[in-house]
Amino acid sequence: MNPKIRKAEYAVRGELAIRSEKLKVDLANGASHPFERVVGCNIGNPQALEQKPITFFRQVASLVEYPDLLKDENAELTSKLYASDAIARAKLLLKHIGSVGAYSHSQGIPQIRENVARFISERDGYPADPSMIFLTQGASAGVQLTLQMIVEHSNVGIMIPIPQYPLYTATLAVLDAQPVPYYLDESKGWGLTTEELQRAYDEAAQDGIETRALVIINPGNPTGQCLSDENMCEIIRFCQKNKVILLADEVYQTNIYEPEQRPFHSFKKILKSMGPEFEGLELISFHSVSKGMIGECGRRGGYFECEGLCPTVLEQIYKISSISLCPNVQGQIMVDLMVNPPKKGDPSYLQYKQEYDAIYFSLIKRAKKLEETFNSLEGCTCNSADGAMYLFPHIRLPKKAIAAAKEAGKFPDQFYCMAMLEATGVCMVAGSGFGQVEGTAHFRSTFLPQPEFFDDFCTGIKDFHASFMNKYRD
Ligand code: DCS
């Protein structure tokens, strides 16, 4: 077996998640545990925690799946069940697609790519070209494909933020490339500086590593920060100066909780606003249907947009995409719906807006509540989330707990998270799975548990923490 596969680690579905699955099965079989349910806060998977799908999206998805519903003889039944704009959209999509059971264009259905391009140009105020857009099975597939394109040999370095989302380190491990870590500054709300980027780049160069790309996750995972425009300009200047490709992971672009102070701007927009001097910079931006208020993670839909890439490289991206034939068609349809949702005046608009807002405002409330909970814990501090779906508190564990972790053969933060899981049924991910400043301990939790259980969920964490500290306090 390829040893590089063994080397790859993905903490979001690691030891803690595996134990939580076992606990779920135990509970279902009537075993007794100190809790009634397992709460999966290890993964940003909203519908697994009962977030309701957006009705319009599911109406269109179900109609294209079963087109008999669109036949004239079923019109009476269908018009009772479905909104007229959902019916019209499904018909339009099927006109372009034929059948969701057929392979599509390898780059993605052309009409959907046109809608993506329109969405990007309306979002940014700069034109977008459908031929530079590739539809993918979630952002993950796009990230893996582009890293595969970039890694020429095992001395190629890719700059990744620490803490990072472990898709990046895991993929680099499989590709046998070198992660070049740059650190986000927790004391500055997980911001970053050019000095730190340059330090990381220069140190890697001294070790013979050729840095070819820089990954930025904005809004951040697991850190939840939304970068300022100044920070984004610094990153772009850094990439231009050092001739590195910028990979902008923007899957949380609509999970923005401080829209006045920290609005989301895409790297594409900031790059374009910086003028012709930066024209040649190579930028690849990723988006997904898994996040935002959509949360259709299981459909595996996403896209990436290329900027500044030369036609011969695009040809090769197309070739690699075509080897996988095409991204799944229902995922592509969800991308279409994400970039072209009901508009004001459409029959589904009111319901869409209500559903969207209910999720959005509830996420803001839950993020605040969980942040307050973490900041109330002894030895724990937590930055607020400007965006995304996670909090990443810093926890100072007593020496006795650190010794007990060592005895158990675990990192201290893993030990803490495992103790929490066994006591409360709440599954989080230890900070060591994302990377952190050496000697510090963190953990990541989503704030996705259902609103009706949220208070109990927070109380459970507080009670657990108090008893953990009572047991191990120095
Ligand atoms: N990029 C970031 C920053 C992510 O957080 C995720 C998923 C992805 C890409 C890939 O998403 P899709 O492939 O579904 O589009 N987030 C993982 C996480 O940390 N929890 O849940 C999944």
Side-chain angles (χ1 to χ4, degrees):
M1 185 182 158
N2 182 347
K4 291 169 218 137
I5 300 287
R6 274 189 223 286
K7 211 177 123 199
E9 285 181 27
Y10 185 66
V12 173
R13 288 214 154 145
E15 184 199 10
L16 281 147
I18 291 166
R19 176 68 186 145
S20 79
E21 290 303 324
K22 168 80 172 57
L23 289 170
K24 252 188 225 168
V25 175
D26 277 6
L27 284 176
N29 291 335
S32 153
H33 285 289
F35 44 85
E36 281 167 19
R37 74 176 71 83
V38 171
V39 186
C41 293
N42 55 307
I43 189 158
N45 194 10
Q47 294 189 17
L49 293 173
E50 295 174 19
Q51 180 177 299
K52 212 177 142 290
I54 302 274
T55 304
F56 178 78
F57 294 179
R58 287 302 183 92
Q59 288 198 345
V60 176
S62 66
L63 286 169
V64 294
E65 194 68 39
Y66 188 42
D68 279 3
L69 290 172
L70 298 168
K71 285 186 175 158
D72 287 347
E73 70 243 40
N74 292 323
E76 205 183 316
L77 170 71
T78 305
S79 64
K80 273 197 196 120
L81 286 171
Y82 292 90
S84 57
D85 49 344
I87 295 170
R89 178 71 68 86
K91 283 184 176 162
L92 181 68
L93 280 163
L94 284 175
K95 195 177 119 207
H96 298 316
I97 295 167
S99 164
V100 288
Y103 292 131
S104 74
H105 190 292
S106 296
Q107 192 169 348
I109 294 152
Q111 292 80 5
I112 298 183
R113 282 189 284 120
E114 276 169 25
N115 285 337
V116 174
R118 195 169 312 118
F119 158 81
I120 294 171
S121 64
E122 280 167 14
R123 182 194 65 189
D124 294 343
Y126 294 97
D129 175 354
S131 72
M132 303 289 268
I133 291 160
F134 289 76
L135 302 189
T136 56
Q137 312 227 119
S140 307
V143 167
Q144 286 164 335
L145 182 146
T146 44
L147 288 175
Q148 205 181 359
M149 295 284 305
I150 295 168
V151 174
E152 187 187 350
H153 52 70
S154 59
N155 261 343
V156 165
I158 307 289
M159 294 181 71
I160 51 167
I162 298 294
Q164 53 109 27
Y165 169 50
L167 163 68
Y168 292 97
T169 38
T171 307
L172 294 178
V174 172
L175 295 173
D176 197 21
Q178 309 300 322
V180 176
Y182 64 91
Y183 285 80
L184 305 175
D185 187 345
E186 186 168 15
S187 69
K188 299 203 170 65
W190 299 111
L192 56 85
T193 60
T194 309
E195 292 75 49
E196 173 55 14
L197 295 179
Q198 201 62 55
R199 178 208 59 78
Y201 182 93
D202 292 343
E203 279 181 20
Q206 276 161 21
D207 293 340
I209 294 171
E210 295 171 30
T211 297
R212 298 278 174 83
L214 180 147
V215 172
I216 184 79
I217 307 173
N218 185 47
N221 174 10
T223 41
Q225 84 286 17
C226 186
L227 294 173
S228 64
D229 290 3
E230 300 82 72
N231 248 198
M232 294 172 76
C233 291
E234 281 179 68
I235 293 166
I236 289 169
R237 277 191 218 102
F238 171 86
C239 290
Q240 172 92 338
K241 176 178 159 222
N242 295 288
K243 296 196 169 56
V244 301
I245 306 167
L246 179 53
L247 302 178
D249 183 331
E250 297 176 334
V251 301
Y252 297 103
Q253 59 187 266
T254 55
N255 294 98
I256 295 293
Y257 307 126
E258 306 274 359
E260 304 299 321
Q261 291 113 295
R262 285 287 179 194
F264 169 80
H265 292 134
S266 73
F267 268 94
K268 162 97 181 280
K269 176 177 176 173
I270 299 290
L271 173 65
K272 289 282 167 196
S273 73
M274 288 168 75
E277 192 192 329
F278 293 88
E279 205 58 5
L281 187 85
E282 292 170 300
L283 165 68
I284 303 178
S285 311
F286 303 90
H287 196 14
S288 168
V289 304
S290 299
K291 311 297 173 185
M293 281 15 94
I294 304 172
E296 294 277 5
C297 306
R299 288 187 187 262
R300 314 306 300 125
Y303 73 80
F304 61 86
E305 185 198 14
C306 305
E307 174 65 36
L309 263 56
C310 74
T312 50
V313 172
L314 287 165
E315 265 169 35
Q316 294 301 316
I317 297 181
Y318 177 73
K319 183 182 77 186
I320 287 291
S321 304
S322 70
I323 295 174
S324 305
L325 296 160
C326 70
N328 79 79
V329 173
Q330 276 287 12
Q332 298 187 55
I333 286 171
M334 200 49 66
V335 171
D336 186 72
L337 296 166
M338 170 175 78
V339 299
N340 188 15
K343 306 263 183 318
K344 242 186 196 151
D346 290 350
S348 293
Y349 179 74
L350 261 180
Q351 186 181 9
Y352 166 75
K353 177 92 171 88
Q354 274 165 0
E355 290 174 348
Y356 189 99
D357 284 354
I359 296 169
Y360 177 67
F361 290 110
S362 168
L363 279 175
I364 295 183
K365 228 159 105 185
R366 284 178 278 166
K368 264 281 156 262
K369 173 105 198 159
L370 191 58
E371 180 200 328
E372 282 161 16
T373 300
F374 286 146
N375 278 317
S376 76
L377 305 180
E378 179 184 349
C380 188
T381 50
C382 184
N383 283 332
S384 58
D386 304 329
M389 292 181 172
Y390 316 96
L391 289 166
F392 196 62
H394 185 168
I395 180 160
R396 288 117 194 127
L397 292 167
K399 287 197 190 75
K400 243 160 82 182
I402 295 171
K406 200 168 173 193
E407 182 111 320
K410 292 190 191 310
F411 287 118
D413 48 10
Q414 261 173 336
F415 179 77
Y416 176 86
C417 289
M418 193 56 92
M420 184 190 297
L421 174 61
E422 298 290 348
T424 62
V426 173
C427 182
M428 299 186 177
V429 189
S432 40
F434 304 94
Q436 55 198 344
V437 171
E438 215 175 305
T440 65
H442 297 75
F443 56 91
R444 185 191 83 168
S445 178
T446 69
F447 36 82
L448 296 172
Q450 298 88 314
E452 59 273 29
F453 303 131
F454 210 79
D455 284 343
D456 288 350
F457 161 71
C458 292
T459 310
I461 294 169
K462 281 187 189 169
D463 292 348
F464 158 73
H465 188 78
S467 69
F468 183 92
M469 294 304 278
N470 287 341
K471 186 166 173 192
Y472 293 108
R473 195 178 285 107
D474 294 322

Coordinates of all heavy atoms in Angstrom, one line a residue, residues 241-274:
K241 N 4.8 39.4 -5.3 CA 6.2 39.5 -5.1 C 7.0 38.2 -5.2 O 8.0 38.1 -5.8 CB 6.4 40.2 -3.7 CG 7.9 40.4 -3.4 CD 8.1 41.1 -2.0 CE 9.5 40.7 -1.5 NZ 9.5 40.5 -0.1
N242 N 6.4 37.2 -4.6 CA 7.1 35.9 -4.5 C 6.6 34.9 -5.6 O 7.0 33.7 -5.5 CB 6.9 35.3 -3.1 CG 7.5 36.1 -2.0 OD1 8.7 36.1 -1.9 ND2 6.7 36.8 -1.3
K243 N 5.8 35.4 -6.5 CA 5.3 34.5 -7.6 C 4.7 33.2 -7.1 O 5.1 32.2 -7.6 CB 6.5 34.2 -8.6 CG 7.1 35.5 -9.3 CD 7.9 35.0 -10.5 CE 8.3 36.2 -11.4 NZ 9.0 37.2 -10.7
V244 N 3.8 33.4 -6.2 CA 3.1 32.2 -5.8 C 1.6 32.3 -6.2 O 1.0 33.4 -6.2 CB 3.2 31.8 -4.3 CG1 4.7 31.6 -3.9 CG2 2.6 32.9 -3.4
I245 N 1.0 31.2 -6.5 CA -0.4 31.1 -6.8 C -1.2 31.3 -5.5 O -0.9 30.7 -4.5 CB -0.8 29.7 -7.5 CG1 0.2 29.4 -8.6 CG2 -2.2 29.7 -7.9 CD1 0.1 28.0 -9.1
L246 N -2.3 32.0 -5.7 CA -3.2 32.2 -4.5 C -4.4 31.3 -4.6 O -5.1 31.4 -5.6 CB -3.6 33.7 -4.4 CG -4.5 34.1 -3.3 CD1 -3.9 33.7 -1.9 CD2 -4.7 35.7 -3.3
L247 N -4.6 30.5 -3.6 CA -5.7 29.6 -3.5 C -6.6 30.1 -2.4 O -6.3 30.0 -1.2 CB -5.3 28.1 -3.2 CG -4.2 27.5 -4.2 CD1 -3.8 26.1 -3.7 CD2 -4.8 27.5 -5.6
A248 N -7.8 30.6 -2.8 CA -8.7 31.3 -1.9 C -9.9 30.4 -1.6 O -10.7 30.2 -2.5 CB -9.1 32.6 -2.4
D249 N -9.9 29.8 -0.4 CA -11.0 29.0 0.0 C -12.1 29.8 0.6 O -11.9 30.3 1.7 CB -10.5 27.9 1.0 CG -11.5 26.9 1.4 OD1 -12.7 27.3 1.5 OD2 -11.1 25.8 1.8
E250 N -13.2 30.1 -0.1 CA -14.2 31.0 0.3 C -15.5 30.3 0.5 O -16.6 30.9 0.3 CB -14.3 32.2 -0.7 CG -12.9 32.9 -0.8 CD -12.9 34.0 -1.9 OE1 -13.6 33.9 -2.9 OE2 -12.1 34.9 -1.7
V251 N -15.5 29.1 1.0 CA -16.7 28.3 1.2 C -17.7 28.9 2.2 O -18.9 28.7 2.2 CB -16.5 26.8 1.5 CG1 -15.7 26.2 0.4 CG2 -15.8 26.6 2.8
Y252 N -17.1 29.8 3.1 CA -18.0 30.3 4.2 C -18.4 31.8 3.8 O -18.7 32.6 4.7 CB -17.3 30.3 5.5 CG -17.1 28.9 6.0 CD1 -15.8 28.3 5.9 CD2 -18.1 28.1 6.4 CE1 -15.6 27.0 6.2 CE2 -17.9 26.7 6.8 CZ -16.6 26.2 6.7 OH -16.4 24.9 7.1
Q253 N -18.4 32.2 2.6 CA -18.6 33.6 2.2 C -20.0 34.1 2.6 O -20.1 35.4 2.8 CB -18.4 33.8 0.7 CG -19.2 33.0 -0.2 CD -18.8 33.2 -1.7 OE1 -19.3 34.1 -2.3 NE2 -17.8 32.4 -2.1
T254 N -21.0 33.3 2.8 CA -22.2 33.9 3.3 C -22.4 33.7 4.8 O -23.4 34.2 5.4 CB -23.5 33.4 2.5 OG1 -23.5 31.9 2.6 CG2 -23.4 33.8 1.1
N255 N -21.6 33.0 5.4 CA -21.6 32.9 6.9 C -20.9 34.0 7.5 O -19.7 33.9 8.0 CB -21.0 31.5 7.4 CG -21.8 30.3 6.9 OD1 -21.4 29.7 5.9 ND2 -22.8 30.0 7.6
I256 N -21.5 35.2 7.5 CA -20.8 36.4 7.9 C -21.7 37.0 9.0 O -22.8 37.3 8.8 CB -20.7 37.4 6.7 CG1 -19.8 36.9 5.6 CG2 -20.3 38.8 7.2 CD1 -18.4 36.7 6.0
Y257 N -21.1 37.2 10.2 CA -21.9 37.5 11.4 C -21.8 38.9 11.8 O -22.5 39.4 12.7 CB -21.7 36.5 12.5 CG -21.9 35.1 12.0 CD1 -20.9 34.1 12.1 CD2 -23.1 34.7 11.3 CE1 -21.1 32.8 11.6 CE2 -23.2 33.5 10.7 CZ -22.3 32.5 10.9 OH -22.4 31.2 10.4
E258 N -20.8 39.6 11.3 CA -20.6 41.1 11.6 C -20.5 41.8 10.3 O -19.5 42.4 10.0 CB -19.3 41.3 12.4 CG -19.1 40.4 13.7 CD -19.7 41.1 14.9 OE1 -20.2 42.2 14.7 OE2 -19.6 40.5 15.9
P259 N -21.6 41.8 9.5 CA -21.5 42.3 8.2 C -21.1 43.8 8.1 O -20.6 44.3 7.1 CB -22.9 42.1 7.6 CG -23.8 41.8 8.7 CD -23.0 41.3 9.9
E260 N -21.4 44.6 9.2 CA -21.0 46.0 9.1 C -19.5 46.1 9.3 O -18.8 46.7 8.5 CB -21.7 46.8 10.2 CG -23.2 46.7 10.2 CD -23.8 47.2 8.9 OE1 -23.4 48.2 8.4 OE2 -24.8 46.6 8.4
Q261 N -19.0 45.6 10.4 CA -17.5 45.7 10.7 C -16.7 44.8 9.8 O -15.6 45.2 9.4 CB -17.2 45.4 12.1 CG -17.7 46.4 13.1 CD -18.8 45.7 14.0 OE1 -19.8 45.3 13.5 NE2 -18.5 45.5 15.3
R262 N -17.1 43.6 9.5 CA -16.4 42.6 8.8 C -17.1 42.0 7.6 O -17.5 40.9 7.7 CB -15.9 41.5 9.7 CG -14.8 41.9 10.7 CD -13.5 42.0 9.9 NE -12.5 42.4 10.9 CZ -11.3 42.8 10.5 NH1 -11.0 42.9 9.3 NH2 -10.4 43.1 11.5
P263 N -17.4 42.8 6.6 CA -18.1 42.2 5.4 C -17.2 41.3 4.7 O -15.9 41.4 4.8 CB -18.4 43.4 4.6 CG -17.4 44.5 4.9 CD -17.0 44.2 6.4
F264 N -17.7 40.4 3.9 CA -16.9 39.5 3.1 C -16.6 40.2 1.8 O -17.5 40.7 1.1 CB -17.7 38.2 2.8 CG -17.0 37.3 1.8 CD1 -15.9 36.6 2.1 CD2 -17.4 37.4 0.5 CE1 -15.2 35.8 1.1 CE2 -16.8 36.6 -0.5 CZ -15.7 35.9 -0.2
H265 N -15.4 40.2 1.4 CA -15.0 40.5 0.0 C -14.2 39.4 -0.5 O -13.4 38.8 0.1 CB -14.2 41.8 0.0 CG -15.0 43.0 0.4 ND1 -14.6 44.0 1.3 CD2 -16.2 43.4 0.0 CE1 -15.5 44.9 1.4 NE2 -16.5 44.6 0.7
S266 N -14.5 39.1 -1.8 CA -13.7 37.9 -2.4 C -12.3 38.4 -2.8 O -12.1 39.6 -3.0 CB -14.5 37.5 -3.6 OG -14.3 38.4 -4.7
F267 N -11.4 37.5 -2.8 CA -10.1 37.8 -3.3 C -10.1 38.3 -4.7 O -9.3 39.2 -5.1 CB -9.1 36.6 -3.1 CG -8.4 36.7 -1.8 CD1 -8.9 36.0 -0.7 CD2 -7.3 37.5 -1.6 CE1 -8.3 36.1 0.6 CE2 -6.7 37.5 -0.3 CZ -7.2 36.8 0.8
K268 N -11.0 37.7 -5.5 CA -11.1 38.2 -6.9 C -11.4 39.7 -7.0 O -10.8 40.4 -7.7 CB -12.2 37.4 -7.6 CG -12.8 37.9 -8.9 CD -12.2 37.3 -10.1 CE -12.7 37.9 -11.4 NZ -14.0 37.3 -11.8
K269 N -12.4 40.1 -6.1 CA -12.7 41.5 -6.1 C -11.6 42.4 -5.7 O -11.3 43.4 -6.3 CB -13.9 41.7 -5.2 CG -14.4 43.1 -5.0 CD -15.6 43.3 -4.1 CE -15.9 44.7 -4.0 NZ -17.2 44.9 -3.3
I270 N -10.9 42.0 -4.6 CA -9.8 42.8 -4.1 C -8.7 42.9 -5.1 O -8.1 43.9 -5.4 CB -9.3 42.3 -2.7 CG1 -10.5 42.3 -1.7 CG2 -8.1 43.0 -2.2 CD1 -10.9 43.7 -1.2
L271 N -8.4 41.7 -5.7 CA -7.4 41.7 -6.7 C -7.7 42.6 -7.9 O -6.8 43.4 -8.3 CB -7.2 40.2 -7.2 CG -6.3 40.0 -8.4 CD1 -4.8 40.4 -8.0 CD2 -6.3 38.6 -8.9
K272 N -8.9 42.6 -8.3 CA -9.3 43.4 -9.5 C -9.2 44.9 -9.1 O -8.9 45.7 -9.9 CB -10.7 43.1 -9.9 CG -10.8 41.7 -10.6 CD -10.3 41.9 -12.0 CE -10.1 40.5 -12.7 NZ -9.3 40.5 -13.8
S273 N -9.6 45.2 -7.8 CA -9.6 46.6 -7.4 C -8.2 47.1 -7.3 O -8.0 48.3 -7.1 CB -10.3 46.7 -6.1 OG -9.5 46.2 -5.0
M274 N -7.1 46.3 -7.3 CA -5.8 46.7 -7.1 C -5.1 47.2 -8.4 O -3.9 47.6 -8.4 CB -4.9 45.6 -6.4 CG -5.3 45.5 -4.9 SD -4.7 44.0 -4.1 CE -3.0 44.5 -3.9

